[in-house]
């Protein structure tokens, strides 16, 4: 997978990509993150990439021509790459998108600054627009890093344990079950006995129950989006009833 990033601040990417899992994956050739400074495609003595908004108003708007030239150059190297525009107005990025995008050969991230992009960039040069949440950041670099990190976890070989991406929260529409490690007792709290039992069938059943319970308690919106099996529905009803009778 090749991730190309078009940005005015390529230096922002250095540190996050030089640490931990992404750095190891890049060294193993499982992925490549190439950052490109948008100014390299700007013209004139000042290499201007932005201009004042038509109609007036505060701030500057990113010009279309440098971005069009940059994308044309990048597409020559990776013609099948999908162009993703970072914008708070885009589709909210989710685990499902990260898994789908991991199947692409290449992705080009367009990072905005100032007041954002000239509308014609969105209309003619991009394949999809993504937001990482309902808040406004100063630039698209952090959203691009967030997306690259989440997508990379689905690339073969990137995670030491390939099953962890499958059991993480959101993978099957539910939150993950609670996790415990040593010591067995901490500040008066003990690890649930079932996890020490060695009975893998019972542990799997307990974990599924915990997933259902957690999701219902913390993110009921997620439960409305997935189709639960009849067994899961019965389990959830039983857990809900036992909690109600406790209260
Ligand atoms: C200050 S923002 C511009 C916001 C724009 N004026 C608006 O209200 O929609 C500058 C750039 O940061 C990036 N950005 C900010 N918040 C974002 C978010 N939640 N998700 C994705 N990108 C974001 C985008 O690339 C955007 O062009």
């Amino acid at each position: 997978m090749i991730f190309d990033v078009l940005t005015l601040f390529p230096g922002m990417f250095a540190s996050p990509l030089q640490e931990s899992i992404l750095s190891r994956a890049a060294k193993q050739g499982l992925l490549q993150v190439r950052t490109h400074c948008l100014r390299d495609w700007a013209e004139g003595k000042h290499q201007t990439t932005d201009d004042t908004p038509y109609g007036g108003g505060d701030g500057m708007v990113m010009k279309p021509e440098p971005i069009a030239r940059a994308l044309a150059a990048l597409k020559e190297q990776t013609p099948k790459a999908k162009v993703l525009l970072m914008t708070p107005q885009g589709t909210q990025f989710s685990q499902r998108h990260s898994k789908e995008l991991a199947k692409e050969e290449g992705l080009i991230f367009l990072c905005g600054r100032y007041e954002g992009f000239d509308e014609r960039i969105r209309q003619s040069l991009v394949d999809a627009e993504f937001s990482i949440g309902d808040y406004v950041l100063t630039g698209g670099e952090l959203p691009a890093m967030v997306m690259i990190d989440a997508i990379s976890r689905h690339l073969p070989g990137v995670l030491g344990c390939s099953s962890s991406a499958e059991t993480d929260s959101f993978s099957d529409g539910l939150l993950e079950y609670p996790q415990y490690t040593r010591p067995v007792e901490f500040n008066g709290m003990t690890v649930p006995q079932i996890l020490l039992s060695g009975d893998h069938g019972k542990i799997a059943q307990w974990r599924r129950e915990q997933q259902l319970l957690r999701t219902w308690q913390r993110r009921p919106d997620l439960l409305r989006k997935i189709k639960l099996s009849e067994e899961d529905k019965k389990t959830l009803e039983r857990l809900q009833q036992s909690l109600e009778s406790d209260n």
Side-chain angles (χ1 to χ4, degrees):
M1 164 74 88
I2 296 178
F3 298 103
D4 283 301
V5 184
L6 258 182
T7 168
L8 286 167
F9 301 99
M12 282 182 72
F13 289 78
S15 174
L17 299 174
Q18 276 165 17
E19 303 284 345
S20 186
I21 292 175
L22 290 197
S23 158
R24 197 176 57 223
K27 282 185 192 132
Q28 290 172 340
L30 302 171
L31 59 88
Q32 203 183 343
V33 184
R34 308 187 296 201
T35 52
H36 311 273
C37 185
L38 189 52
R39 257 181 235 297
D40 293 345
W41 285 277
E43 288 180 331
K45 198 169 89 184
H46 300 293
Q47 292 185 294
T48 309
T49 55
D50 55 282
D51 209 334
T52 52
Y54 275 120
D58 289 335
M60 302 296 272
V61 175
M62 295 186 71
K63 289 163 68 60
E65 316 95 295
I67 291 177
R69 283 193 287 269
L71 288 176
L74 295 181
K75 283 273 193 157
E76 268 180 32
Q77 294 169 33
T78 48
K80 290 191 181 156
K82 290 257 153 52
V83 179
L84 311 181
L85 183 102
M86 303 295 100
T87 166
Q89 301 177 20
T91 305
Q92 181 130 357
F93 180 63
S94 69
Q95 185 77 351
R96 178 174 62 79
H97 295 119
S98 69
K99 203 169 178 180
E100 280 166 12
L101 290 169
K103 294 177 194 151
E104 300 291 339
E105 280 176 34
L107 296 170
I108 302 175
F109 291 82
L110 265 182
C111 305
R113 281 273 152 179
Y114 322 118
E115 287 308 313
F117 299 95
D118 181 293
E119 183 68 5
R120 291 162 294 183
I121 296 168
R122 185 187 74 70
Q123 286 170 332
S124 62
L125 296 174
V126 310
D127 295 301
E129 301 174 51
F130 281 107
S131 161
I132 61 161
D134 286 347
Y135 39 80
V136 177
L137 299 160
T138 52
E141 288 76 15
L142 290 171
M145 284 183 232
V146 165
M147 288 183 63
I148 290 170
D149 189 300
I151 295 165
S152 298
R153 300 180 81 253
H154 297 286
L155 299 177
V158 168
L159 293 184
C161 174
S162 61
S163 65
S164 45
E166 306 294 315
T167 59
D168 278 331
S169 294
F170 311 111
S171 294
D172 62 357
L174 300 174
L175 300 181
E176 196 184 49
Y177 46 80
Q179 298 271 20
Y180 294 86
T181 186
R182 273 175 277 274
V184 168
E185 195 254 315
F186 170 72
N187 281 356
M189 295 172 282
T190 50
V191 174
Q193 200 56 39
I194 190 111
L195 297 178
L196 310 173
S197 69
D199 185 332
H200 296 295
K202 287 215 171 94
I203 291 171
Q205 193 185 338
W206 180 85
R207 285 181 165 166
R208 187 69 187 170
E209 286 177 8
Q210 292 298 314
Q211 275 194 281
L212 290 163
L213 192 58
R214 286 218 137 182
T215 311
W216 174 61
Q217 288 173 323
R218 293 174 186 219
R219 293 291 304 274
D221 58 304
L222 295 178
L223 281 179
R224 288 192 285 277
K225 287 184 206 155
I226 58 166
K227 199 166 160 30
L228 291 178
S229 69
E230 286 308 311
E231 198 183 335
D232 279 342
K233 280 187 203 161
K234 278 188 203 145
T235 306
L236 190 55
E237 270 169 36
R238 176 171 53 75
L239 293 167
Q240 288 166 334
Q241 277 163 10
S242 87
L243 273 181
E244 273 161 19
S245 63
D246 284 351
N247 288 335

